[in-house]
Amino acid sequence: MLPWLQGRSPPQPTIRSDRSYDLKTGMALGAFFLLPTAGLQVISRMRSSPHDNILSTLRHIREVTRRYIHGRREMALLRESWKNPRQSQERFLLDILRENADTVYGREHRLGEIRSMEEFRRRHPLTSYEHYRPYVDRTMRGESGIITPRTLDSYCRTTGTTGQSKYIPHVMKLHLLDAVFCRTTKLAFELCPALGFLQKEFCFYVHPRVTKAENGVDIGSFICFSPKDSRRLDVFTSPPDAFGISSIKDASYIHVLFALREPSIGIFYFFFLHYMESMMKILEQRWPDVVSDIEQGTIHKDIELDDGVRAALEATLGSGDRERARQLRREFEKGFKGLMRRIWPDMAVVVGIDNTKIWPTMEAKYAPGIPLLPFVYGSSEAILGQAVWFSKKQRGYYPVNTELIYEFIDLPDTDKDQPKTFLLDELEVGKQYEVVITQLSGLYRYRMGDIIRVVAFDGKTPILEVLYRLGTMLNVRYEKLTEAVVRESVYAAVARWPGLTLCDYAIAESPLIPETSPAFEADEVMPFYLIFLEVKQENGQGKITLTEEQKSMIDTELRRRNSDYERLRTDDGISHPRIHLVKPDTFDELKTYVLENTGASANQYKTPRKLRLYGMVEVLLNHIQD
């Protein structure tokens, strides 16, 4: 109930159809804007934040309405394109080629002469980033009309964990990011009829480091909010100043603090679900501090904030909320099983990318019965897929036909320079392909290196499951262990270790180890893999040790899944893997190292399964358990 309309009893939430929801929402909004008194009465019955006043409520309504209307339009266009992907893709491709024909790149590659998808595939080669680096460098120095006639609004820097950074140009990045949230808002209301229109949203966000190119354009990550654009942030639990914090530790604490003071959150956004685990770790370790801050309207002294930011955030906290603190303290003292539903009883959906397959664990422990919407399949280059169903109904992503042109390379042909490609309606269920994209900002037939599997078709449109990147292939001889094979092998082995659960893992190739490293083995003549595991006991806190038999299970599982690895191990062409248990929270130390020593942003960060730099390996070696 709105605090400025006390005395009215909100109705119990009811399950409604999407059509019914649209009608009632439209009636409520119409009543509010056309008949103020009646509108206020309707809105007063909606679940809302006790910390909102009439102005902040109006801002919330404005932003959710904008998102919903825009998202409905975006989804309608997408669903129409899925009916005939071949036709819609060709039409969009010709629009891109016409727009960019009179650029330096367009003239050199004669884009204006191309009249069909087939002609495009014949005349323009498949490309990688190095094909574009000279053109992008020219734009970064300030030249215009090189790859696009439009003004570039940003460069998305890759994480740098796989080599030299790339700078992906974008002409509509803010529009693309906004479209993601608008589509997801529409889908959330469509899939969760009981979701309240005035319910706040939680967003776990750490502000990335942003630098400038010579031309003055921002260099950052794809996911980047501006605290100055407070209008777009009105729906979130955290105030705008919280979206400018760049420290993971401090940003995490602040977002959790402001989320806990809100009793009726509807949507939880975690760009990657491993941040949900991070949030819950903070709560388990520091809930007394957070609850105390809510009670007193303070921010703990060990949270490092600029004075202006601290003052603004504490002003938002006001004099504290003793009643909410009392409720939270009671729930935390009961334990963490099912905690999220207990402290946010109106929670409708979690939105996030489950790249580490952690959701079953998170759901069972903290959020039983709450659905997961797997958000999007994205990268620095583009948003490549949209999840439109809960994870338990359907895995995989629909292609975003309205923003990208797609081609696919059959997995056996990915080692070729210019292999044959397939279009969306030419794929086959069960087969694996490398993704190739063309987008508006100047990338044409660009090989992503991402490997997907087609899990189903919806009419003529395939549904894509993301498997791994070719760049994460492990190979000390010729065995080519994919990320999927390593992941399945590690999980299968750990599942046979009684009482232990895998928290995280990474793997390195022995040629990466210098002679000065304690891990270097002068007497070993064959290459091998180093596998680092962080595990925890399901019950108890005792020291964890592995037997040699348990360690060998990973080797056995790798042999089962890769015949070349099996042959090389049998012929002693590869030595046995070195299995190392690391101390708790070691992978948090790895994250800190990567963020401090590469161009990665916290929102982009994913545990690098293949360790490409010795510095990363050294972090893990320094935390091996005795």
Side-chain angles (χ1 to χ4, degrees):
M1 182 185 299
L2 301 179
W4 41 276
L5 281 170
Q6 294 291 339
R8 303 185 184 278
S9 299
Q12 293 300 312
T14 56
I15 303 299
R16 298 160 289 187
S17 69
D18 184 50
R19 182 176 180 181
S20 171
Y21 176 81
D22 287 346
L23 178 61
K24 291 184 177 180
T25 300
M27 290 175 64
L29 292 174
F32 177 76
F33 289 113
L34 299 178
L35 299 171
T37 302
L40 291 176
Q41 290 178 349
V42 172
I43 292 174
S44 71
R45 292 181 172 85
M46 296 182 180
R47 284 163 288 162
S48 63
S49 170
H51 306 289
D52 273 347
N53 55 37
I54 187 169
L55 291 179
S56 58
T57 299
L58 291 176
R59 290 196 299 267
H60 182 108
I61 290 173
R62 178 187 62 187
E63 176 59 14
V64 175
T65 301
R66 184 196 69 82
R67 271 208 222 162
Y68 184 84
I69 292 173
H70 183 49
R72 183 167 57 183
R73 181 171 63 249
E74 288 273 321
M75 288 306 304
L77 290 172
L78 264 181
R79 283 169 169 148
E80 184 64 27
S81 74
W82 293 335
K83 294 177 183 178
N84 194 332
R86 177 77 65 100
Q87 183 182 68
S88 65
Q89 287 273 276
E90 183 165 68
R91 186 166 54 243
F92 183 36
L93 170 65
L94 296 179
D95 288 342
I96 292 175
L97 298 180
R98 278 194 295 269
E99 173 161 327
N100 295 339
D102 196 27
T103 61
V104 171
Y105 186 93
R107 291 191 295 271
E108 289 181 2
H109 292 79
R110 303 168 71 177
L111 299 183
E113 299 177 9
I114 298 174
R115 297 291 181 267
S116 69
M117 177 74 77
E118 288 309 311
E119 186 178 1
F120 176 61
R121 295 161 80 190
R122 287 196 310 270
R123 294 179 57 167
H124 197 290
L126 293 166
T127 62
S128 67
Y129 181 77
E130 293 309 312
H131 175 81
Y132 300 99
R133 191 181 290 277
Y135 299 97
V136 175
D137 288 347
R138 290 176 65 180
T139 70
M140 296 179 78
R141 290 194 296 266
E143 295 186 54
S144 60
I146 304 300
I147 55 177
T148 173
R150 304 194 193 197
T151 300
L152 290 166
D153 57 24
S154 70
Y155 298 93
C156 288
R157 179 179 51 216
T158 60
T159 61
T161 57
T162 59
Q164 186 178 3
S165 286
K166 306 171 187 177
Y167 298 92
I168 307 300
H170 282 283
V171 295
M172 296 177 63
K173 193 196 77 172
L174 294 178
H175 167 79
L176 295 174
L177 184 58
D178 184 60
V180 167
F181 275 92
C182 291
R183 289 194 299 263
T184 305
T185 296
K186 158 62 179 169
L187 289 165
F189 281 115
E190 183 179 308
L191 298 171
C192 307
L195 179 62
F197 196 74
L198 289 180
Q199 285 184 263
K200 289 290 188 181
E201 301 173 8
F202 170 84
C203 183
F204 192 103
Y205 174 81
V206 182
H207 194 57
R209 288 177 289 174
V210 178
T211 58
K212 297 282 186 181
E214 288 182 45
N215 61 357
V217 175
D218 286 349
I219 301 173
S221 64
F222 191 90
I223 300 172
C224 185
F225 295 140
S226 171
K228 297 178 182 178
D229 191 11
S230 59
R231 180 172 61 89
R232 300 289 174 89
L233 306 177
D234 284 332
V235 299
F236 295 130
T237 54
S238 299
D241 288 282
F243 288 86
I245 302 172
S246 298
S247 160
I248 294 179
K249 175 181 72 70
D250 298 330
S252 302
Y253 188 95
I254 294 300
H255 287 308
V256 168
L257 169 63
F258 280 93
L260 284 176
R261 69 196 287 265
E262 289 287 348
S264 184
I265 301 176
I267 303 175
F268 280 73
Y269 281 102
F270 299 94
F271 297 115
F272 293 101
L273 278 182
H274 58 73
Y275 283 113
M276 179 177 173
E277 182 180 36
S278 299
M279 183 184 88
M280 300 313 293
K281 281 184 178 180
I282 289 173
L283 282 178
E284 290 185 4
Q285 295 170 3
R286 302 204 58 178
W287 70 260
D289 292 336
V290 180
V291 172
S292 176
D293 281 342
I294 291 172
E295 184 174 48
Q296 300 173 35
T298 57
I299 297 174
H300 199 279
K301 62 183 179 181
D302 70 357
I303 302 303
E304 298 179 7
L305 303 170
D306 292 341
D307 291 342
V309 172
R310 179 179 288 272
L313 294 176
E314 288 189 337
T316 303
L317 290 171
S319 59
D321 188 337
R322 290 173 175 75
E323 176 58 25
R324 179 62 175 165
R326 184 186 63 79
Q327 295 169 356
L328 291 170
R329 192 172 284 112
R330 183 175 64 243
E331 295 302 329
F332 280 120
E333 288 172 351
K334 294 177 183 177
F336 279 74
K337 180 70 174 178
L339 178 71
M340 297 185 79
R341 181 69 85 186
R342 286 191 277 116
I343 58 180
W344 296 294
D346 298 319
M347 182 177 180
V349 60
V350 170
V351 178
I353 304 166
D354 189 12
N355 62 305
T356 60
K357 311 301 179 187
I358 200 172
W359 174 245
T361 301
M362 293 292 98
E363 180 190 17
K365 185 172 182 179
Y366 305 114
I370 296 172
L372 171 68
L373 180 61
F375 204 21
V376 295
Y377 159 34
S379 68
S380 296
E381 291 83 1
I383 300 298
L384 292 95
Q386 178 78 50
V388 302
W389 297 107
F390 294 141
S391 59
K392 287 189 176 179
K393 178 172 182 178
Q394 179 178 293
R395 73 181 192 274
Y397 297 90
Y398 281 71
V400 188
N401 295 2
T402 54
E403 296 175 4
L404 292 175
I405 308 301
Y406 296 83
E407 298 176 63
F408 300 87
I409 300 169
D410 199 6
L411 183 60
D413 295 335
T414 54
D415 58 348
K416 298 178 181 178
D417 181 53
Q418 296 294 321
K420 176 183 178 180
T421 63
F422 299 85
L423 302 180
L424 284 165
D425 58 354
E426 297 176 323
L427 305 184
E428 298 180 32
V429 173
K431 293 190 68 172
Q432 297 180 29
Y433 302 88
E434 180 188 354
V435 179
V436 177
I437 65 167
T438 296
Q439 42 97 301
L440 182 64
S441 300
L443 302 182
Y444 305 90
R445 308 197 74 207
Y446 180 87
R447 297 183 67 163
M448 295 291 298
D450 290 20
I451 301 299
I452 57 89
R453 177 191 292 122
V454 179
V455 296
F457 265 83
D458 184 349
K460 297 180 180 180
T461 295
I463 302 170
L464 314 175
E465 179 186 19
V466 186
L467 297 181
Y468 59 92
R469 290 202 91 148
L470 286 173
T472 55
M473 191 83 72
L474 289 135
N475 198 44
V476 295
R477 290 294 191 196
Y478 56 78
E479 66 281 9
K480 295 182 180 178
L481 292 176
T482 67
E483 181 181 337
V485 164
V486 174
R487 181 181 65 246
E488 292 167 4
S489 299
V490 170
Y491 274 89
V494 176
R496 295 162 59 194
W497 298 348
L500 297 180
T501 301
L502 182 68
C503 299
D504 219 333
Y505 72 95
I507 185 168
E509 299 160 338
S510 62
L512 188 64
I513 309 300
E515 293 185 11
T516 55
S517 170
F520 182 77
E521 300 181 23
D523 296 332
E524 178 60 79
V525 297
M526 294 299 170
F528 55 88
Y529 291 107
L530 298 92
I531 301 177
F532 299 92
L533 307 172
E534 183 177 325
V535 300
K536 63 181 179 181
Q537 296 188 64
E538 296 173 2
N539 298 299
Q541 296 287 329
K543 181 180 178 181
I544 302 174
T545 58
L546 295 179
T547 65
E548 292 304 314
E549 180 182 3
Q550 287 175 313
K551 292 180 180 180
S552 70
M553 291 178 185
I554 294 180
D555 187 36
T556 301
E557 296 293 341
L558 289 171
R559 289 184 179 216
R560 288 178 53 199
R561 289 170 170 79
N562 185 294
S563 59
D564 287 333
Y565 179 83
E566 161 64 20
R567 187 179 305 112
L568 287 163
R569 287 286 293 115
T570 300
D571 297 341
D572 294 324
I574 296 179
S575 185
H576 67 88
R578 277 47 167 180
I579 311 300
H580 298 293
L581 286 183
V582 297
K583 299 173 184 177
D585 301 323
T586 292
F587 279 86
D588 289 338
E589 296 290 330
L590 176 63
K591 180 195 298 184
T592 299
Y593 175 87
V594 171
L595 295 180
E596 290 179 350
N597 292 276
T598 74
S601 80
N603 303 304
Q604 287 178 305
Y605 179 83
K606 303 182 289 291
T607 299
R609 299 304 174 199
K610 178 178 180 178
L611 303 174
R612 294 179 175 274
L613 304 175
Y614 177 68
M616 300 178 186
V617 178
E618 191 172 32
V619 170
L620 300 183
L621 288 172
N622 289 339
H623 290 79
I624 291 175
Q625 295 195 43
D626 293 336

